[in-house]
Amino acid sequence: MAVAGSAVGLGNFLRFPGLAAQYGGGAFMMAYAISFLIIGLPIGWAEWAMGRYAGSLGYNSAPGAFACIVRSRWAKYAGIIGVIVPVIIYMYYVMIEAWCIGYAVNFWSGRMHFKDAAEAVGYFAGFVGAAGDATAMKFSADTALPWLLAVFVFNFYLIYRGLSRGIEKMCQFGMPLLIVLALLLLGRVMTLGAPDPARPHDSVINGLGYMWNPSKVQVVKATPGPTDKPREVVGAAAIAEAEKEVAASGGALKLVTVSPWSQLWNPSLWLAAAGQIFFSLSVGFGVIIVYASYMKPKDDVVLSGLTASSANEFCEVALGGLITIPAAVAFLGVAGIAGQAGVGLGFKVLPLVFSKMPAGAFFGGAFFFMLFLAAVTSSISMLQPGIAFVEEALGVGRRASVAILGMLTAFGAGMALFFTADLKALDTLDFWVGTFLIFVLATVQIIIFGWVWGIDRGFEEMHRGAAFQVPRVFRPIIQWLCPGFLLLVFALWLMRDVFGFDLATLKPGAVSSYVSDLFGAKSSLAAQLSVALVVAVSVFFGLLTARSRAYAKAERGLPKHD
């Protein structure tokens, strides 16, 4: 339940629907399903097995796990990435968590009824302080500061209570309540039909079609200009109407069917699908390997990994996707959500949807409270790797480790709260840690499992106490296909998002803004300080690792308490 709570988070209800909307639905779902099978499950099982083995020797952190498995000095330093990722992500994730509870309370209090999209976008910008640095640092219900303070204290109260009395108890309460709220919202969305009789094509059914149809039907200009974009139509009636429009255009318009195969040639779609799997299942976060270390030697990691993944996928696809996309299409139309992604769909578009929905204040509050529950079960899981690391590296108790991590993350969260202009600090940390380092950590983990530890030994450990065997087809997937796919995706991601190479035209372009933010005339102080924070935390964790007696034992494969 704790690992399922870790996996089920804002990525399920905000990031996934946004990506599905951005990439047109059906083709993205195909790439997503393939990525789940060749990345999500294999890396998840590998993390569960490695974590439980390390726990049997008394090591509960990623540096300790890597060191005792690889039995080399470099391994413990590679394992530091498994601490940096969740701790840094927590620093800005808790910000978004605060937005969720703030939106929920403000919806229920009746202060969030928007007339148009501009009003909804303006409220969001004011709430998060996007207009300028430090503008969200006001004690007002319509700004992020008071909500951030509340959720920060709440998170550390839960983490202080420990894995069983704090994290697990919260997940045992929060996960069922989250699912009940999600099912309630899903039932309401599925009964919306076409809310505006004047726009019969903007319906829940066509919203489902937009999400799941692998082919796309578009109305395009015969000779499009540089700013002309295709207009997608969904549903038999809408397509028939578009055919009449094209026939009456005298050749100025044409109807085009885009096959799923042509969409799957787009490397950006695969990059988005693979990245979502990391966020979705918490693989590459350094969280699962820590949680699994607290399991008993005969506990079933195969079934645990599969059930945690299944719970996450249910919440993501069957709840998050089916609530958000059909509702947005029903009220805003396909054109209204096309290209919306992540926070843009969740905080800028959906509040307008709830404003137009009967009993919208209740359902809007329920939706964002559901997001808060999903966020808090994930954010407390991000603190546990840091807690375990500090306890292990310094040999201190939980009270001291919570205090050290609390001061560290409070500084990082405060920096993210101050540098809110265009959300620059949050965006920079999310890119270099929430994407770049996650790719690195996931790749290192699967290579250690399949090649350094060895696929035979890894599978032997994985199947100890297992109720059923992992299909043999996953042996070559883990050893060859998964690392190869990760390296390819990572290389394409670097080419596109770091060096600015256009993967569609295969032509070089300008370097990414994430790079230019750090160097040259267009550099940003907020981005530079954000990266400096990551470097400083890395050095601090490296110094703790170097002086740890426990990790010196782990390098030799010795139990920690010998």
Side-chain angles (χ1 to χ4, degrees), residues 243-291:
E243 288 173 343
K244 294 179 181 178
E245 180 185 356
V246 169
S249 70
L253 300 175
K254 59 181 180 179
L255 208 62
V256 176
T257 300
V258 183
S259 72
W261 315 116
S262 62
Q263 297 174 66
L264 289 172
W265 278 109
N266 179 9
S268 298
L269 183 145
W270 287 97
L271 290 170
Q276 178 58 25
I277 287 297
F278 289 131
F279 272 88
S280 176
L281 297 178
S282 288
V283 296
F285 270 64
V287 171
I288 295 175
I289 200 168
V290 173
Y291 276 19

Side-chain angles (χ1 to χ4, degrees), residues 380-452:
I380 55 178
S381 75
M382 295 175 195
L383 291 171
Q384 183 59 32
I387 296 290
F389 169 73
V390 173
E391 289 177 351
E392 207 160 74
L394 294 179
V396 298
R398 193 165 195 86
R399 181 176 298 180
S401 63
V402 168
I404 292 170
L405 199 66
M407 289 187 290
L408 182 64
T409 54
F411 179 81
M415 200 173 88
L417 178 67
F418 182 85
F419 291 108
T420 52
D422 298 324
L423 300 179
K424 179 62 71 176
L426 188 154
D427 190 38
T428 301
L429 292 173
D430 184 55
F431 181 83
W432 290 111
V433 177
T435 305
F436 179 80
L437 283 184
I438 285 179
F439 264 109
V440 172
L441 181 59
T443 305
V444 168
Q445 284 180 159
I446 202 66
I447 290 175
I448 287 176
F449 182 86
W451 290 94
V452 180

Side-chain angles (χ1 to χ4, degrees), residues 60 83 137 148 161 259 294 505:
N60 303 116
V83 186
M137 300 182 73
L148 176 62
R161 288 179 60 84
S259 72
Y294 296 100
T505 62

Side-chain angles (χ1 to χ4, degrees), residues 3 59 161 193 196 217 233 286 324 472 478 497 520:
V3 175
Y59 300 102
R161 288 179 60 84
D196 187 349
V217 179
V233 290
T324 304
R472 291 188 62 83
I478 289 175
D497 286 348

Side-chain angles (χ1 to χ4, degrees), residues 25 28 85 100 103 126 131 228-229 250 353 366-367 377 391 406 450 499-500 522 549:
F28 175 81
V85 168
C100 293
Y103 264 51
D228 292 326
K229 295 181 179 180
V353 169
F367 178 80
T377 55
E391 289 177 351
F499 299 110
K522 297 182 179 180
R549 295 180 180 178

Side-chain angles (χ1 to χ4, degrees), residues 16-356:
F16 171 77
L19 287 174
Q22 184 179 8
Y23 290 97
F28 175 81
M29 298 302 297
M30 294 171 67
Y32 175 83
I34 293 169
S35 297
F36 172 74
L37 291 174
I38 65 177
I39 294 179
L41 278 179
I43 298 178
W45 277 328
E47 286 195 57
W48 279 92
M50 292 165 67
R52 187 184 62 177
Y53 173 79
S56 69
L57 297 176
Y59 300 102
N60 303 116
S61 68
F66 280 24
C68 71
I69 289 171
V70 179
R71 300 189 182 182
S72 172
R73 178 172 295 182
W74 68 264
K76 65 183 180 183
Y77 293 109
I80 292 173
I81 305 174
V83 186
I84 296 169
V85 168
V87 169
I88 296 291
I89 288 180
Y90 173 82
M91 292 177 183
Y92 66 85
Y93 193 92
V94 72
M95 285 276 296
I96 308 175
E97 186 178 320
W99 301 348
C100 293
I101 190 62
Y103 264 51
V105 174
N106 286 335
F107 255 113
W108 281 331
S109 64
R111 289 199 297 268
M112 294 186 65
H113 185 80
F114 303 119
K115 297 177 182 178
D116 52 37
E119 192 174 335
V121 171
Y123 182 86
F124 173 75
F127 189 89
V128 304
D133 290 337
T135 54
M137 300 182 73
K138 302 174 185 176
F139 274 94
S140 166
D142 295 318
T143 58
L145 177 60
W147 307 109
L148 176 62
L149 294 175
V151 299
F152 196 90
V153 171
F154 182 57
N155 274 275
F156 270 91
Y157 168 74
L158 292 174
I159 200 73
Y160 177 75
R161 288 179 60 84
L163 191 60
S164 297
R165 294 188 302 120
I167 297 174
E168 192 174 3
K169 288 290 184 185
M170 177 60 198
C171 292
Q172 287 174 346
F173 162 78
M175 285 294 293
L177 180 58
L178 182 153
I179 291 174
V180 168
L181 284 173
L183 289 172
L184 176 66
L185 287 164
L186 179 62
R188 182 67 189 99
V189 168
M190 289 296 109
T191 57
L192 286 173
D196 187 349
R199 295 183 295 130
H201 305 318
D202 296 343
S203 66
V204 169
I205 293 297
N206 286 347
L208 294 172
Y210 179 79
M211 179 177 175
W212 288 104
N213 288 344
S215 298
K216 294 162 59 173
V217 179
Q218 298 176 337
V219 178
V220 299
K221 288 188 176 181
T223 54
T227 60
D228 292 326
K229 295 181 179 180
R231 173 167 56 89
E232 186 173 350
V233 290
V234 180
I239 293 173
E241 190 175 292
E243 288 173 343
K244 294 179 181 178
E245 180 185 356
V246 169
S249 70
L253 300 175
K254 59 181 180 179
L255 208 62
V256 176
T257 300
V258 183
S259 72
W261 315 116
S262 62
Q263 297 174 66
L264 289 172
W265 278 109
N266 179 9
S268 298
L269 183 145
W270 287 97
L271 290 170
Q276 178 58 25
I277 287 297
F278 289 131
F279 272 88
S280 176
L281 297 178
S282 288
V283 296
F285 270 64
V287 171
I288 295 175
I289 200 168
V290 173
Y291 276 19
S293 70
Y294 296 100
M295 300 178 76
K296 298 175 182 177
K298 291 291 186 178
D299 283 345
D300 190 341
V301 297
V302 174
L303 187 59
S304 295
L306 186 61
T307 50
S309 300
S310 300
N312 174 79
E313 293 308 305
F314 172 75
C315 289
E316 180 153 292
V317 179
L319 297 179
L322 295 186
I323 289 170
T324 304
I325 295 177
V329 169
F331 283 98
L332 305 174
V334 171
I337 71 165
Q340 294 284 349
V343 170
L345 189 61
F347 286 96
K348 299 177 184 177
V349 175
L350 286 182
L352 182 62
V353 169
F354 291 122
S355 294
K356 296 182 177 181

